[in-house]
Amino acid sequence: MKKLFYLLAFVSVISSCSEYQKALKSEDIATKFQMGTDLYDAGKYIKANRLFEQIVPKYRGKPQAEKLMYMHANAFYETRDYYISSYQFENFEKSYPQSEKAEEASFLGAKSFYHLSPVYSKEQNETIQALEKLQLFVNKYPNSQYLPQANELIQELDYKLEKKAFEIAKQYNKIAYFESSDYEAAITAFDNFLIEYPGTSFREQAMFYRLDSAYMLGINSVKYRQQERLETAMAFFKSFKRFYPESQLMVEATRMEMEMTSALQKFNTQS
């Protein structure tokens, strides 16, 4: 009985493959459309798209074109070909702005860019594009059922840009330990970061590393610049303490403050 079952299954597969090959070679666009649709519904998106690619241009202006173009775009999305799916969904929305699928196509087109966004340590061009596309979607469909998901994606992408900017500023701080001239660059980088991302989750660390950079610059500075730089660093300490008095980093920050206070007292004694 099992042998008969496997034999029938084998024959079915061979027959199906044969029909698919015939459809690929056929000149009948209706046959390609029907088989492509059946394959799409069965989740066989790569095979379906091979047929769709042959007939999309020939269906322009026909009643079935809207369905075909949507399936074509979504098949690319389902197979994770996000560069093409983003283009195809955008093309669908432009071609059929009144379609019941236009909103979904707009969202999936933007989400395609989200999937293209790389890890934070790499260049973030796709991340910026994804944010732009998602924001356009939110503006265009403020009551969309996809709005909660779109906002989650925006938040995730924003965090990635924040982390990228924070790590760049932090890298200046690390490099400065070997090249003291980079402490000023580190301070500027953290200043810019705090201005650009005022609500960032990295705010506490950024303020601490800004203090650390200013402290190192002041302590290791030439005499005629030292007092001014130490006073700047002390201002950063006071700001950090005011916002994060219970921070685990306060122990190290207080150590810096004590050393800077001692150094500044020498200037007061001399004057």
Side-chain angles (χ1 to χ4, degrees):
M1 191 70 177
K2 285 185 178 179
K3 288 183 179 179
L4 178 60
F5 172 79
Y6 288 129
L7 178 61
L8 290 172
F10 177 74
V11 171
S12 176
V13 169
I14 294 297
S15 174
S16 176
C17 289
S18 178
E19 289 178 13
Y20 178 68
Q21 291 301 323
K22 285 181 182 177
L24 281 173
K25 297 174 183 178
S26 174
E27 297 296 325
D28 186 355
I29 62 173
T31 298
K32 293 177 187 288
F33 181 91
Q34 185 58 55
M35 176 160 280
T37 301
D38 292 342
L39 289 167
Y40 176 89
D41 291 340
K44 297 178 180 180
Y45 301 110
I46 293 176
K47 282 189 171 183
N49 245 359
R50 286 189 66 191
L51 290 167
F52 293 155
E53 285 168 357
Q54 293 181 347
I55 61 175
V56 164
K58 298 175 182 178
Y59 267 92
R60 287 197 181 110
K62 296 181 183 293
Q64 303 95 324
E66 180 182 333
K67 179 180 179 180
L68 176 60
M69 285 185 69
Y70 178 84
M71 289 191 296
H72 188 42
N74 197 49
F76 282 117
Y77 183 86
E78 293 293 343
T79 53
R80 301 183 181 182
D81 197 340
Y82 297 121
Y83 278 110
I84 299 180
S85 68
S86 63
Y87 169 79
Q88 294 293 350
F89 277 125
E90 186 173 338
N91 192 32
F92 175 86
E93 188 186 10
K94 287 179 180 177
S95 300
Y96 302 99
Q98 303 305 316
S99 170
E100 63 179 17
K101 289 286 189 179
E103 179 183 322
E104 184 181 2
S106 179
F107 174 68
L108 290 177
K111 194 175 179 181
S112 294
F113 277 97
Y114 161 82
H115 287 299
L116 291 170
S117 173
V119 295
Y120 79 89
S121 57
K122 295 185 177 180
E123 288 295 326
Q124 295 299 305
N125 294 330
E126 287 85 358
T127 302
I128 294 169
Q129 284 182 297
L131 281 167
E132 290 172 351
K133 296 292 184 181
L134 284 164
Q135 194 57 58
L136 284 172
F137 170 78
V138 169
N139 294 343
K140 189 170 185 179
Y141 300 101
N143 300 313
S144 172
Q145 61 176 314
Y146 303 108
L147 189 63
Q149 190 179 164
N151 285 331
E152 284 181 13
L153 298 180
I154 289 171
Q155 188 174 8
E156 184 179 335
L157 294 169
D158 274 335
Y159 176 83
K160 190 179 291 187
L161 292 181
E162 285 179 21
K163 187 169 179 62
K164 172 79 172 180
F166 173 72
E167 290 297 333
I168 289 173
K170 191 176 175 182
Q171 191 64 27
Y172 279 112
N173 176 267
K174 288 180 180 179
I175 293 171
Y177 274 89
F178 302 98
E179 301 176 26
S180 58
S181 61
D182 280 343
Y183 282 121
E184 288 184 281
I187 294 166
T188 299
F190 283 117
D191 275 338
N192 291 339
F193 174 79
L194 290 165
I195 291 169
E196 189 171 356
Y197 302 102
T200 178
S201 58
F202 296 105
R203 189 167 183 265
E204 178 183 343
Q205 294 180 69
M207 290 184 72
F208 173 79
Y209 281 114
R210 180 179 65 173
L211 162 61
D212 180 62
S213 299
Y215 155 78
M216 290 297 292
L217 179 64
I219 289 296
N220 295 293
S221 182
V222 293
K223 284 293 181 183
Y224 78 94
R225 298 291 303 276
Q226 192 170 42
Q227 183 176 7
E228 175 193 356
R229 288 172 171 175
L230 285 173
E231 287 173 350
T232 298
M234 285 293 285
F236 289 155
F237 168 78
K238 290 175 183 177
S239 181
F240 179 76
K241 185 179 180 180
R242 180 162 64 90
F243 283 104
Y244 302 103
E246 304 300 324
S247 172
Q248 293 181 356
L249 297 168
M250 270 304 300
V251 174
E252 179 62 15
T254 301
R255 183 196 66 77
M256 296 180 203
E257 186 262 348
M258 291 174 64
E259 188 175 348
M260 291 189 294
T261 299
S262 178
L264 284 168
Q265 284 174 347
K266 293 178 182 178
F267 285 100
N268 294 332
T269 301
Q270 291 170 5
S271 61

